[in-house]
Amino acid sequence: MQTDSKNNLAQNIIGNVFSKIVATIKERYKLLLLVGCIGGLLGIIYTAIKHTKYHSEITFLVEESKAGGGLLSSLGSQIGIDISSMAGASNSVISGDNMLELLKSKSMMQEVLLTPFENDSNYVLADRYADVYQLRTKWAADSKVGKVVLFKDAKIPARLRDSLLSEIIKRVYKKEFSVSKPDKKLGFFKVSVSSNDEKFSQYLSERIIKNATDFYVNNKVSRLKNNISRLEHRTDSIGRLLNQKTYASMSDMQLLLNLNPADVSAQGSAEISQRDKMVLSTVYAELVKNLEISKTALVQETPTIQITDKPILPLENDELKWYEGLLIGFFAPIIFLFVILVI
C-alpha cells in the first residue's frame, strides 16, 4: 500500500509540473519568443565585436648533465670509469626555479619584443602588439606622447621608447603570457601565449623559448667554453714551436755527421736542441690531453633542451561563429525566463 501511494504521489507531482509547463508555454509564448529574438540578436552582435583569442602553447624539457665529479668525471671517462655514477650522481632534471624566473624576466621579454616581426627589421613584435590592440592611436592622442611611435625609430627618445615598451611588457605578462610547471615532480615546462593576433602568439612563444634556453645553456657552459678557447690557443702555439724545434733538431743531427768528433760545443748544441724538443713534446701532450678532457666536460655539462609540443598553424582559438551566438543568445534567455515563470 505504501509503495502504491508513493507512486501515485510521484505521478501527481510530475503531472502537475507538466501541466504547469504546458500552461506557461500557452500563456507566455509571445514573451518567450520576444526574449529569444532579442537574445539571438545580442548573440550575433557579440560575435561581431568579440575579439578572437589565438592560443599558442609550447611544452619543453630541460635535462641537466651529470652532476658531481666535474673534470675528475671527465678524466675518468677517458679511461672507461664512470666516477659520477660511483659517487651516486645521475642525470637529473632541473628544479625549475631558474628557468621559470628567466622566462618571467623583463629583460628577456624586452629582447624578444624588439625582434623583427617578419622580414621587415624596422617593424618589431612590439609594433605589431601596439597595432593589434590600437595602442599606437592611444599614444598619439596622449598629451605625454603625442606622436606615432615605432620602436626601431632612432628619432624616438630612448626614455619614451623604454617607457612604452615597459607598458607593453606589463600588459603581456598580465593578460597574454603565462609560464608554468604542470607537474613539480617532472621537468616539463609550459609556455602559453593568448593574443588577438595569430602570428604574434606564435612568434612570441617560439622566440622567448629560444632566447631563454640559449641564455641558460650559454650561462651554464660559458666557463668551460672560455677554458677550451684558451687551451686551443695555447696548444696551437706550443704545436708550432714543437714543429720548429723538430726541424731544428733534425738539422743539428745532420750537422753532427759532418763535424769533428772533438768539437764538444757542436755536440752540446745538439743535446740542448734535443732536450728542448722533448720538453715541448711533453708540454704539448699534456695540453692535448687537457683539451680533450675539457671538451668532454663541455659535452657533459651542456643541458639538453627538448621541445615536446610546439604550436602548429592554424592555432587553437575561441572564435564564436555567428550561428553559435544566435543559438546561444536565443535559447539561453528563453530557458532562464521559462524556469523563473514555472517556479
Side-chain angles (χ1 to χ4, degrees):
M1 292 295 293
Q2 291 181 352
T3 304
D4 293 338
S5 60
K6 289 181 178 180
N7 290 336
N8 292 333
L9 179 61
Q11 291 176 359
N12 291 333
I13 293 174
I14 294 174
N16 292 334
V17 171
F18 182 77
S19 299
K20 194 171 183 180
I21 290 173
V22 173
T24 302
I25 293 175
K26 289 181 179 180
E27 294 174 2
R28 303 295 182 93
Y29 74 93
K30 292 182 179 180
L31 177 62
L32 293 174
L33 287 176
L34 178 61
V35 171
C37 291
I38 294 175
L41 180 60
L42 292 176
I44 294 176
I45 294 175
Y46 175 74
T47 58
I49 63 175
K50 176 183 177 294
H51 294 291
T52 302
K53 287 284 187 180
Y54 296 91
H55 309 289
S56 175
E57 291 187 352
I58 297 181
T59 304
F60 66 100
L61 175 69
V62 182
E63 288 184 342
E64 287 284 9
S65 58
K66 290 185 177 181
L71 289 178
L72 182 61
S73 176
S74 302
L75 181 59
S77 66
Q78 299 291 318
I79 58 176
I81 300 176
D82 191 354
I83 295 177
S84 60
S85 63
M86 295 172 60
S90 59
N91 284 342
S92 60
V93 182
I94 63 174
S95 61
D97 293 340
N98 291 338
M99 182 58 69
L100 286 175
E101 291 302 319
L102 186 60
L103 288 167
K104 294 177 182 178
S105 68
K106 180 179 177 181
S107 60
M108 191 62 60
M109 181 61 71
Q110 179 175 337
E111 183 179 346
V112 172
L113 288 174
L114 292 177
T115 58
F117 177 67
E118 286 185 325
N119 296 328
D120 186 3
S121 59
N122 293 322
Y123 189 75
V124 297
L125 280 179
D127 293 319
R128 181 66 174 181
Y129 185 90
D131 288 337
V132 169
Y133 291 95
Q134 289 83 44
L135 295 179
R136 206 182 302 281
T137 305
K138 174 186 173 183
W139 293 336
D142 191 339
S143 59
K144 295 182 179 179
V145 182
K147 62 178 71 176
V148 175
V149 176
L150 289 173
F151 288 93
K152 284 295 185 178
D153 188 355
K155 297 179 181 179
I156 301 298
R159 182 182 179 88
L160 175 61
R161 182 175 61 250
D162 293 343
S163 176
L164 298 179
L165 192 59
S166 296
E167 179 183 339
I168 290 179
I169 292 173
K170 289 179 182 178
R171 284 176 57 100
V172 169
Y173 276 131
K174 184 178 181 180
K175 298 180 179 181
E176 282 83 27
F177 181 85
S178 67
V179 57
S180 62
K181 192 176 183 184
D183 192 334
K184 294 183 178 179
K185 295 181 181 180
L186 302 177
F188 290 94
F189 300 86
K190 179 181 288 186
V191 170
S192 302
V193 178
S194 297
S195 74
N196 295 350
D197 184 73
E198 185 176 40
K199 289 185 177 181
F200 178 85
S201 296
Q202 180 191 10
Y203 293 160
L204 182 64
S205 60
E206 291 177 343
R207 292 177 187 178
I208 198 166
I209 290 294
K210 185 180 184 306
N211 284 23
T213 52
D214 288 348
F215 178 87
Y216 183 78
V217 171
N218 290 335
N219 185 63
K220 290 282 290 183
V221 300
S222 59
R223 180 180 58 83
L224 283 172
K225 283 185 175 180
N226 292 334
N227 187 45
I228 288 175
S229 179
R230 289 193 296 267
L231 282 173
E232 287 178 339
H233 177 72
R234 186 62 176 166
T235 302
D236 292 341
S237 299
I238 296 298
R240 287 192 293 270
L241 288 175
L242 180 59
N243 290 337
Q244 294 174 3
K245 281 297 180 182
T246 301
Y247 288 121
S249 178
M250 293 298 296
S251 298
D252 291 340
M253 293 294 293
Q254 291 178 355
L255 289 174
L256 284 177
L257 297 176
N258 301 322
L259 289 177
N260 186 351
D263 190 353
V264 178
S265 61
Q267 295 180 2
S269 177
E271 287 290 337
I272 292 174
S273 178
Q274 188 68 19
R275 182 196 62 192
D276 291 343
K277 176 189 170 184
M278 292 178 62
V279 171
L280 287 174
S281 297
T282 303
V283 173
Y284 183 75
E286 288 297 320
L287 285 173
V288 171
K289 183 179 72 173
N290 290 335
L291 179 60
E292 292 303 317
I293 290 174
S294 296
K295 288 182 178 179
T296 303
L298 176 63
V299 173
Q300 291 183 349
E301 292 294 331
T302 302
T304 302
I305 311 296
Q306 297 179 351
I307 304 294
T308 57
D309 290 314
K310 55 184 175 181
I312 300 176
L313 294 176
L315 298 179
E316 294 183 4
N317 59 77
D318 59 357
E319 182 182 5
L320 190 65
K321 303 295 184 181
W322 68 269
Y323 54 84
E324 294 174 339
L326 173 62
L327 293 175
I328 295 173
F330 182 81
F331 286 105
I334 287 180
I335 295 172
F336 179 74
L337 179 60
F338 184 78
V339 170
I340 293 176
L341 293 175
V342 171
I343 295 175

